[in-house]
Amino acid sequence: MTPKTETELAAAIAAATGPLHITGGGTRPIGNPVRGTTLSTAKLNGIILYEPGALTMVVQAGTPVADIEKALAKENQRLAFEPMDHRPLLGTKGTPTIGGIVAANVSGPRRVAVGACRDHMLGVRFVDGRGTIIKNGGRVMKNVTGYDLVKLLSGSYGTLGVLSEVSLKVLPRPDCSATITTAIDDDSRAVAAMSAALGSPFEVTGASHDPATGQTHLRIEGFAGSVAYRSDKMSALMAPFGIVRVTDNTQDSEAIWVAIRDVTAFADQQGDVWRLSLKPSDAHGVVAGLSKMGALYDWGGGLVWVLTTAGHNLRAELGDASGHATLIRASAETRAALPAFHPENATVTALSAGLRAKFDPRAILNSGVMG
Amino acid sequence: MDMPIPDAKIIAKKASVVERLQAVLPLNAVIHEDRQVKAYECDALVAYKCPPLCAVLPTSTAEVAAVLRVCHEMGVPVVPRGSGTSLAGGALPTADCVILGVARLNGVIETNYDDRFIRVQSGRTNLSVTGAVEANGFFYAPDPSSQLACAIAGNIAMNSGGAHCLKYGVTTNNLLGVTMVMMDGTITEIGGAHMGAAGLDLLGLICGSEGQLGVVTEATLRILPKPEGARPVLMGFDDNEVAGACVADIIKAGVLPVAIEFMDRPCIEATEKFANAGYPMCEALLIVEVEGSEAEIDEQLGMILKIARKHKPVELREAKDADEAARIWLGRKSAFGAMGQINDYMCLDGTIPVSSLPLVLRRIGELSKQYGLGVGNVFHAGDGNMHPLILYDANKPGDLELCEAMGADILKLCVEVGGCLTGEHGVGIEKRDLMNVQFAPSDLEAQMAVKDVFDPAWLLNPAKVFPLGASETRRIAAK
């Protein structure tokens, strides 16, 4: 089913007699396997409102991300949360949609500085499991009118409702980008270096470490003079950690971060891919204790991508570290055997189940995708 | 403003409620004598007062849990209270409720500069969170005007903002985790020092839920390195519309100031009399602040001033030193006090798309004439969060009602142009009955379904946020 309007979407859900598999562009098959009739939002397509002076955009959920980025680029603006393109890593084809990004709360390297996708969400319209159209939030930057279902829907993988429209906070695209790369062999020193950088006043908008190459990357963005000044400061701050190299050509710098964002290092390698959210200073200790074929640090150590042999239960090796592990890429058998999402405490599990039962009483929306 | 009729059965059993609470709390933690409970009869929305059944001041999460278990078992409503600075009546009691104050939960549990977070008890004041980390060069970003007094618990309940959220976001963008006690006394952890939720984003749902889903006793907050420096510039314009266009042009040019504050003529005149900050007498005044090193500030302010000049300002004043910067901020920071000198006032906080600014200001001027009540406008222009201050005389019969009617018209206007009823103060009781203007019944139903999950008996702050008519069946069914 590919409804063309929100009304058609609501009617389709109300009339559904069995489980539905909700999809946008189908480029992010993350989560436990889902059965059901495919319901695609791809035809809910178009930018409804864009006010560059107010930093806001309202779009239909099925709008291709590329269309949004093109419209923003014309006004020298962007989606600051830097959503990852999962296609290289997951080997998927198709057109990523904004609804998919919001449903999976997809956020890239800049998340460490400006927040996640959910932090740039101003409003939603969605259809719940009964076929009721619900709106929440709006299109203004500050809004505390009623409960924040906008955050709840972001990252709910279609299980509470099918998004029909989202409104986003957008931000100016800076003129320049520079990357400060430091040669650091030891993961623990790399995390310490990233903490020093993120704890400085020089507004680092990316902090990533690749153990395979022994390189720690830091990103600085802004107006030319400011970027030059802060790059110098950052180089001086990093000098005690290793040999420093600066990529001050904006295009070259941006290319480094596209690769980090899309985890292209693991794209052509066999094996499962896990995504760990950790307290940065715990990260190297946790990673050292894992059976793995590779690791990649982002968010200053707050996010670690791990490559393992197929079918390996990485979660069992985490111990009691604060954080969680999500299985992002694995074969169908592994995904059927290992839950994609990290188990939560009993109260949170009960509350989540209670919310799903309220929003989708027939359990027909992407049922079981999050466990 | 109506409140539900208090439950006579609960009032009748006050003695046993007090006795059971005393049994689970330290000696002086239950306040129940009539003259003492009066201290909790209102918050900063002083037009409405009602002494609670009693108030409790627990000193630990375990004691909060014990209080909630007792109230849950006895079917007594609980109104959580931070510092009582709500402008929306978020902490207004009912005669049959227990006020649960977190003021004695005010410690710092952990500071971690490598991972850039602080964990505090929720009764700690906003400003003292920054106070705990500033010697190490860090700060906590959300900065509501009441930051000297307001508690983190209330900030989380209302998802508080402040003047600097254009760059740093509001509470929800700076909250990493909480310890929360459910109405039945269950203690739970949500989030932590890591980023993002493992499953559904319950943290995002709790933030801004006005104390209706649980009582937060501890919070992990993101702290940020202090910028190298900051500098404001003051601009005066002959026309509101031109000032509004200037704001839009600054944002479109790619400069992201940390704050853009706006004051209109009535507000400028009042603050000049009160604080004597040396503001120019004009129709609209903007204070724009940028951050960075000296050179970066020069670069950004250079661009901003160039844009401002195109709009023919009547005044452009750049702060040359800290003293001049303080003078530029002086009037803005004393604006509420200045308006209070003139008369009683009601402070609204509807938010509008920035593009609607001129229209909304014009309409507010017309409403002011129509109602015969003065209005001063002072607000965060970068994010469209307005703060119209409507002047009225609390001692004049009917004036409060007139003021509320005018306030309602202004908020309806905010919704009409694509905005919302409240940007940072919360709904409380103040905007409760206007929720139908912004939301369809099915929208409110979805929100109330969330409360059903967290607090099935509707005992936590039950008479707030939702129009009484909309929540009535739930509140009664739960009894």
Side-chain angles (χ1 to χ4, degrees):
Chain A
M1 292 186 282
T2 50
K4 288 189 279 299
T5 63
E6 186 183 66
T7 316
E8 281 182 24
L9 172 67
I13 294 173
T17 51
L20 297 171
H21 179 204
I22 320 299
T23 174
T27 65
R28 304 174 211 273
I30 300 167
N32 305 327
V34 174
R35 286 176 309 139
T37 311
T38 298
L39 172 60
S40 167
T41 58
K43 287 201 174 149
L44 296 170
N45 181 351
I47 295 169
I48 294 163
L49 176 147
Y50 176 30
E51 284 187 7
L55 302 173
T56 45
M57 181 182 260
V58 183
V59 294
Q60 294 194 72
T63 309
V65 183
D67 293 1
I68 292 171
E69 285 176 338
K70 209 166 126 192
L72 291 171
K74 269 191 202 155
E75 297 290 339
N76 221 17
Q77 295 186 338
R78 68 179 178 189
L79 297 174
F81 56 95
E82 202 176 8
M84 169 181 184
D85 182 348
H86 278 82
R87 287 175 295 184
L89 183 66
L90 300 182
T92 48
K93 293 192 170 62
T95 307
T97 63
I98 190 68
I101 283 176
V102 175
N105 190 28
V106 178
S107 318
R110 206 174 289 108
R111 191 252 178 273
V112 73
V114 303
C117 170
R118 56 89 102 174
D119 295 295
H120 295 81
M121 287 289 296
L122 304 176
V124 289
R125 290 180 67 90
F126 64 97
V127 179
D128 74 6
R130 277 170 296 232
T132 309
I133 297 168
I134 296 163
K135 69 166 184 296
N136 194 263
R139 63 174 176 102
V140 288
M141 295 285 173
K142 278 160 91 180
N143 188 346
V144 296
T145 321
Y147 294 170
D148 194 345
L149 304 185
V150 180
K151 301 280 185 303
L152 182 65
L153 265 286
S154 306
S156 66
Y157 288 84
T159 60
L160 300 175
V162 181
L163 295 167
S164 51
E165 183 184 303
V166 299
S167 69
L168 299 152
K169 171 185 176 180
V170 300
L171 283 173
R173 167 181 288 280
D175 292 350
C176 302
S177 167
T179 300
I180 292 87
T181 303
T182 312
I184 306 177
D185 274 338
D186 175 60
D187 287 12
S188 125
R189 275 181 58 75
V191 172
M194 292 191 285
S195 285
L198 290 164
S200 78
F202 307 119
E203 299 194 2
V204 171
T205 66
S208 168
H209 174 69
D210 184 355
T213 60
Q215 292 187 326
T216 304
H217 302 291
L218 301 168
R219 178 172 55 189
I220 301 281
E221 297 173 290
F223 296 112
S226 169
V227 169
Y229 166 79
R230 287 181 287 141
S231 293
D232 285 351
K233 289 280 184 184
M234 198 47 59
S235 300
L237 192 67
M238 287 301 109
F241 292 96
I243 296 168
V244 177
R245 178 168 49 87
V246 178
T247 305
D248 57 6
N249 174 291
T250 294
Q251 265 191 331
D252 294 346
S253 172
E254 282 176 351
I256 293 173
W257 292 95
V258 168
I260 294 167
R261 184 194 76 186
D262 295 346
V263 203
T264 50
F266 297 165
D268 300 323
Q269 296 198 47
Q270 296 287 315
D272 294 352
V273 176
W274 292 76
R275 184 180 177 277
L276 272 51
S277 178
L278 300 164
K279 188 162 85 173
S281 58
D282 288 347
H284 61 271
V286 169
V287 170
L290 302 174
S291 317
K292 61 188 179 296
M293 301 192 293
L296 195 68
Y297 294 79
D298 198 357
W299 302 353
L303 171 68
V304 188
W305 295 93
V306 183
L307 183 71
T308 68
T309 52
H312 176 64
N313 183 5
L314 193 75
R315 209 171 271 140
E317 298 177 339
L318 289 182
D320 52 4
S322 136
H324 51 89
T326 312
L327 179 59
I328 298 291
R329 186 181 79 184
S331 68
E333 297 107 68
T334 304
R335 294 197 311 146
L338 284 175
F341 292 88
H342 206 85
E344 297 186 277
N345 71 50
T347 307
V348 169
T349 304
L351 290 171
S352 302
L355 291 169
R356 289 205 178 90
K358 287 282 182 191
F359 284 86
D360 178 23
R362 294 183 291 162
I364 58 168
L365 302 178
N366 269 357
S367 185
V369 72
M370 296 182 83
Chain B
M1 206 70 63
D2 293 332
M3 287 298 273
I5 298 159
D7 188 333
K9 284 189 295 233
I10 293 173
I11 294 172
K13 64 181 177 187
K14 173 173 174 173
S16 63
V17 173
V18 168
E19 195 178 318
R20 285 202 55 190
L21 290 170
Q22 281 170 333
V24 297
L25 289 173
L27 196 58
N28 55 4
V30 184
I31 291 147
H32 58 90
E33 284 174 29
D34 287 351
R35 65 187 167 80
Q36 290 179 315
V37 293
K38 245 182 110 56
Y40 296 92
E41 68 183 1
C42 70
D43 53 23
L45 184 70
V46 291
Y48 295 93
K49 295 184 170 76
C50 172
L53 194 68
C54 66
V56 294
L57 299 171
T59 60
S60 68
T61 299
E63 286 176 12
V64 170
V67 167
L68 290 175
R69 261 194 305 274
V70 167
C71 294
H72 188 245
E73 276 171 36
M74 301 187 81
V76 180
V78 173
V79 174
R81 179 181 167 106
S83 297
T85 58
S86 172
L87 291 162
L92 177 74
T94 47
D96 58 0
C97 89
V98 170
I99 286 278
L100 196 171
V102 292
R104 290 183 184 169
L105 291 161
N106 59 8
V108 173
I109 296 160
E110 183 187 358
T111 47
N112 183 325
Y113 300 105
D114 286 340
D115 296 326
R116 301 168 300 285
F117 72 82
I118 183 170
R119 187 159 176 88
V120 296
Q121 290 183 305
S122 66
R124 193 170 182 87
T125 61
N126 174 291
L127 197 59
S128 73
V129 172
T130 288
V133 296
E134 66 184 344
N136 288 66
F138 282 79
F139 73 110
Y140 174 60
D143 59 342
S145 302
S146 56
Q147 67 181 150
L148 184 64
C150 66
I152 292 299
N155 289 181
I156 294 170
M158 295 308 195
N159 189 14
S160 304
H164 292 81
C165 47
L166 187 57
K167 180 168 176 188
Y168 295 114
V170 296
T171 301
T172 191
N173 312 113
N174 292 278
L175 179 67
L176 293 167
V178 294
T179 299
M180 187 170 86
V181 187
M182 309 294 296
M183 187 63 217
D184 66 2
T186 309
I187 299 169
T188 186
E189 295 294 324
I190 298 173
H194 56 274
M195 284 179 268
L200 293 180
D201 188 355
L202 300 190
L203 195 63
L205 183 61
I206 288 154
C207 195
S209 63
E210 308 208 6
Q212 292 197 308
L213 302 184
V215 178
V216 170
T217 57
E218 291 181 15
T220 304
L221 308 168
R222 189 165 82 117
I223 52 171
L224 298 172
K226 268 198 285 195
E228 287 183 272
R231 202 191 305 159
V233 56
L234 181 147
M235 313 167 179
F237 296 93
D238 256 345
D239 188 323
N240 283 330
E241 213 153 321
V242 175
C246 183
V247 170
D249 282 354
I250 290 169
I251 291 172
K252 267 194 281 193
V255 196
L256 197 64
V258 279
I260 306 180
E261 298 288 295
F262 186 115
M263 287 168 75
D264 70 355
R265 181 183 274 278
C267 217
I268 300 166
E269 284 174 356
T271 52
E272 261 317 283
K273 273 185 208 144
F274 181 70
N276 200 18
Y279 283 176
M281 281 303 145
C282 54
E283 290 308 312
L285 188 150
L286 295 178
I287 298 172
V288 183
E289 183 162 89
V290 296
E291 288 179 344
S293 66
E294 284 299 308
E296 287 175 294
I297 289 174
D298 285 342
E299 186 181 12
Q300 292 179 73
L301 283 186
M303 294 177 67
I304 289 170
L305 292 171
K306 199 173 149 195
I307 293 165
R309 283 194 190 97
K310 284 188 196 152
H311 293 280
K312 304 203 169 38
V314 293
E315 176 99 11
L316 272 185
R317 197 182 297 167
E318 205 178 333
K320 283 182 214 70
D321 52 39
D323 196 48
E324 287 191 20
R327 285 193 74 74
I328 287 181
W329 276 111
L330 176 70
R332 167 62 184 89
K333 289 194 171 164
S334 40
F336 282 41
M339 293 299 278
Q341 289 287 97
I342 304 175
N343 218 332
D344 301 297
Y345 67 75
M346 186 165 104
C347 173
L348 304 176
D349 90 313
T351 304
I352 56 165
V354 181
S355 51
S356 308
L357 205 57
L359 168 74
V360 171
L361 286 174
R362 197 162 57 237
R363 285 285 298 133
I364 289 177
E366 288 163 15
L367 287 167
S368 172
K369 285 201 191 91
Q370 184 189 324
Y371 280 91
L373 296 174
V375 185
N377 281 291
V378 46
F379 57 93
H380 315 307
D383 50 34
N385 189 190
M386 312 203 49
H387 288 310
L389 301 169
I390 309 174
L391 296 167
Y392 73 102
D393 183 352
N395 295 320
K396 191 169 150 193
D399 228 26
L400 172 65
E401 289 73 18
L402 196 64
C403 171
E404 285 181 338
M406 180 173 159
D409 278 351
I410 293 176
L411 292 181
K412 283 176 193 162
L413 173 66
C414 290
V415 174
E416 205 175 287
V417 300
C420 66
L421 299 172
T422 170
E424 58 184 359
H425 295 173
V427 178
I429 58 157
E430 193 202 14
K431 283 146 282 195
R432 189 188 59 193
D433 298 316
L434 288 170
M435 289 288 272
N436 288 322
V437 176
Q438 188 172 333
F439 294 110
S442 54
D443 302 330
L444 290 176
E445 188 61 33
Q447 296 178 37
M448 289 189 290
V450 169
K451 184 163 171 66
D452 292 340
V453 172
F454 281 75
D455 174 25
W458 275 68
L459 288 172
L460 271 172
N461 220 3
K464 312 289 168 67
V465 184
F466 305 107
L468 288 182
S471 65
E472 189 175 16
T473 48
R474 285 176 154 89
R475 284 180 291 109
I476 287 169
K479 279 187 181 164

